[in-house]
Amino acid sequence: MIVEYKRNEYAGFWNRLVAFWIDLTVVSLIVFPFALLIGLFFPNAILVEVPFELFTTTTTVSRDIENNESIEKDELLGLLINYYKTKVEIDEETGNCSTTRDLIDPVSKSAIKKTTSTDIEFHVIFIYWILLEASVWQASLGKKIMGLQVITEDGERPDIFQCAARNLLKVLSGIILFFGFLMAGWTDKKQTLHDKMSYCQMWCMASSSGVLFLIGNLFNSIDEFNAGYNIS
């Protein structure tokens, strides 16, 4: 059965953006404690990162003034320690400064690579999106809070393969300067590029309630106003 919706019943760009930040916060809170434990027991296996360097103390261990280089030590919660080589380079023509900061081995001072907690979050959030959008919720936690639901173009529940395609195609939407995401602002059914390519769409559930859902409705109204203004 094909279900028809009015344009203002579909989820626009701003609703999706707020839902994304909620999802990112949820996944970060889930991954962080596990990454911290791995970092404590296997410090060479993972680099635990915290947004905005919260709970992180940075001290300068040594400085080479002649080469504009310094060795810095980061301490996360007083538990995890990492060393970095920081180099300041000055463009002689423009006078602009640029700073590079590389993770190093504290003994050899050579650059090293580690899997970061951000890398883990990137993979986990895709699994999280796929499984929850294919569930009876048809929505991630962020979408659920914002009153959004993923449906097929016929208004039905998408299967896990459609959800996998939809979310993996977000990479394509992002690669082209996020144009694929911005499409939700002007397409008829507020579909993004990854929605269209996976034959999905997202709508606002009328039965949802709460402050964030009301905010979502406000964003939808702004989307409608902008669409009407652009058309006129």
Side-chain angles (χ1 to χ4, degrees):
M1 180 180 67
I2 298 177
V3 181
E4 293 290 339
Y5 298 94
K6 297 178 181 178
R7 190 176 191 277
N8 62 2
E9 293 178 318
Y10 293 100
F13 174 79
W14 295 109
N15 303 65
R16 294 167 183 256
L17 183 62
V18 175
F20 166 77
W21 282 110
I22 294 172
D23 287 336
L24 188 60
T25 302
V26 169
V27 170
S28 296
L29 291 174
I30 293 171
V31 170
F32 180 76
F34 289 101
L36 188 60
L37 284 174
I38 295 172
L40 287 173
F41 289 101
F42 306 99
N44 294 325
I46 188 171
L47 175 63
V48 181
E49 297 177 321
V50 181
F52 312 112
E53 297 186 353
L54 296 174
F55 316 114
T56 303
T57 303
T58 302
T59 55
T60 301
V61 177
S62 63
R63 191 185 301 275
D64 183 345
I65 298 177
E66 183 178 345
N67 295 314
N68 291 326
E69 293 181 352
S70 61
I71 303 297
E72 296 179 340
K73 179 176 71 172
D74 279 7
E75 291 186 71
L76 175 60
L77 298 171
L79 299 172
L80 301 179
I81 299 176
N82 290 290
Y83 290 85
Y84 295 85
K85 179 184 286 186
T86 302
K87 183 176 178 62
V88 178
E89 296 181 343
I90 302 175
D91 189 314
E92 295 181 357
E93 294 183 359
T94 63
N96 294 331
C97 295
S98 61
T99 303
T100 57
R101 197 167 190 257
D102 298 316
L103 183 68
I104 62 169
D105 180 270
V107 178
S108 66
K109 303 295 189 296
S110 58
I112 58 174
K113 293 287 186 181
K114 290 183 181 179
T115 298
T116 68
S117 54
T118 303
D119 294 333
I120 297 173
E121 288 171 11
F122 178 81
H123 291 89
V124 169
I125 200 167
F126 276 92
I127 297 170
Y128 160 90
W129 279 329
I130 292 167
L131 294 180
L132 286 183
E133 289 176 11
S135 71
V136 292
W137 272 14
Q138 296 175 230
S140 61
L141 186 58
K143 293 182 183 70
K144 188 74 172 176
I145 291 172
M146 291 299 293
L148 311 180
Q149 193 174 59
V150 179
I151 56 177
T152 67
E153 290 187 333
D154 294 332
E156 303 293 334
R157 174 180 166 183
D159 59 40
I160 194 165
F161 299 105
Q162 275 184 292
C163 293
R166 179 181 181 276
N167 284 287
L168 294 175
L169 285 166
K170 287 179 180 178
V171 176
L172 177 60
S173 290
I175 287 175
I176 51 176
L177 303 177
F178 297 96
F179 179 82
F181 290 98
L182 296 174
M183 284 174 60
W186 65 78
T187 50
D188 289 341
K189 297 181 179 180
K190 300 184 181 179
Q191 288 173 293
T192 58
L193 178 62
H194 48 277
D195 284 332
K196 283 183 170 293
M197 293 183 70
S198 60
Y199 305 103
C200 290
Q201 50 199 16
M202 196 184 300
W203 73 295
C204 299
M205 295 178 288
S207 59
S208 298
S209 59
V211 175
L212 286 177
F213 179 66
L214 294 176
I215 294 173
N217 275 338
L218 175 61
F219 284 145
N220 246 12
S221 299
I222 293 173
D223 281 340
E224 289 302 303
F225 175 81
N226 289 336
Y229 179 79
N230 290 335
I231 292 170
S232 62

